């Protein structure tokens, strides 16, 4: 079990676009396990490889109450997103303590591989659909605060930088 360091906004590495995974091998399987361990340790429901400074298209998610239904998405691709949308408060392990409203599709269909390299189509709705969209944004180098107004985004950026400076003291 390895707990990986999570990049915090506004770290510029969070804006790196992830590259596709070429082969699902033991290295990738170990990374997904480390990402799950990191996500559970941080009490999150999703984590993208970008957030742990690995710029490959890998996402781990577990929205179950029991925290025992991990979902691994390798090279995820949204095939369909509903026109029906909702605004929900989102948070992010890379922006700790900050929550704000983001509009997302209520349902999505996603094609991805699992940790064995088996491809599947996942039909997700509500919290799982929102989580998938949020984590896939990370793979594109986008953090949820970028959906907010410039004023809010600048306030969050200042708050995060101040917190990082205080942690160094």
């Amino acid at each position: 079990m390895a707990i990986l360091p999570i990049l915090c906004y506004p770290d510029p590495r969070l804006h790196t676009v992830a590259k596709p995974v070429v082969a699902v091998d033991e290295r990738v399987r170990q990374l997904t396990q480390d990402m799950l361990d990191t996500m559970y340790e941080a009490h999150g429901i999703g984590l993208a490889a970008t957030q742990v400074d690995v710029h490959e298209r890998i996402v781990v998610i577990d929205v179950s109450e029991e925290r025992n239904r991990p979902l691994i998405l390798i090279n995820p691709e949204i095939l369909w997103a509903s026109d029906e949308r909702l605004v929900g408060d989102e948070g992010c392990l890379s922006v700790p303590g900050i929550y704000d409203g983001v509009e997302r599709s209520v349902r999505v269909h996603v094609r991805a591989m699992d940790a064995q390299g088996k491809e599947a189509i996942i039909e997700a709705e509500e919290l799982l659909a929102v989580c998938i969209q949020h984590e896939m944004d990370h793979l594109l180098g986008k953090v949820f605060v970028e959906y907010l107004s410039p004023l809010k985004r600048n306030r969050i950026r200042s708050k995060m930088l101040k917190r990082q400076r205080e942690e160094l003291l």
Side-chain angles (χ1 to χ4, degrees):
M1 175 170 132
I3 305 301
L4 306 170
I6 298 172
L7 300 177
C8 282
Y9 181 80
D11 192 307
R13 294 171 290 181
L14 288 168
H15 299 293
T16 304
V17 176
K19 293 182 172 25
V21 172
V22 177
V24 179
D25 54 17
E26 190 51 43
R27 179 193 65 82
V28 170
R29 281 187 280 281
Q30 184 60 56
L31 175 61
T32 61
Q33 187 56 58
D34 292 347
M35 287 173 62
L36 283 167
D37 293 341
T38 302
M39 178 189 74
Y40 290 134
E41 179 75 17
H43 306 288
I45 61 171
L47 186 68
T50 302
Q51 293 175 272
V52 293
D53 203 20
V54 176
H55 304 287
E56 294 180 84
R57 294 185 57 77
I58 302 171
V59 166
V60 298
I61 293 173
D62 189 343
V63 296
S64 69
E65 288 288 325
E66 303 79 21
R67 315 296 283 145
N68 64 355
R69 296 186 51 215
L71 179 62
I72 294 168
L73 304 174
I74 299 172
N75 294 337
E77 174 189 2
I78 294 179
L79 302 174
W80 174 83
S82 68
D83 290 334
E84 183 184 356
R85 299 176 70 78
L86 62 85
V87 175
D89 265 0
E90 288 189 24
C92 181
L93 294 176
S94 290
V95 194
I98 304 294
Y99 299 87
D100 212 316
V102 176
E103 184 176 295
R104 304 274 188 189
S105 292
V106 174
R107 289 178 297 286
V108 294
H109 295 175
V110 179
R111 178 176 40 227
M113 290 185 289
D114 64 14
Q116 274 54 58
K118 183 176 179 242
E119 193 173 277
I121 294 178
I122 295 101
E123 296 182 6
E125 60 183 32
E126 298 172 349
L127 179 59
L128 179 57
V130 167
C131 189
I132 288 171
Q133 292 168 83
H134 174 109
E135 299 308 331
M136 287 184 65
D137 274 354
H138 280 297
L139 301 179
L140 298 172
K142 190 169 187 176
V143 181
F144 89 97
V145 298
E146 292 171 50
Y147 287 101
L148 307 177
S149 71
L151 177 63
K152 280 186 178 182
R153 195 167 48 246
N154 286 334
R155 283 184 178 160
I156 292 167
R157 184 179 202 286
S158 296
K159 186 176 188 175
M160 297 302 295
L161 289 170
K162 181 180 179 197
R163 185 183 299 168
Q164 288 167 17
R165 280 192 305 272
E166 288 170 353
E167 288 172 1
L168 294 174
L169 297 178

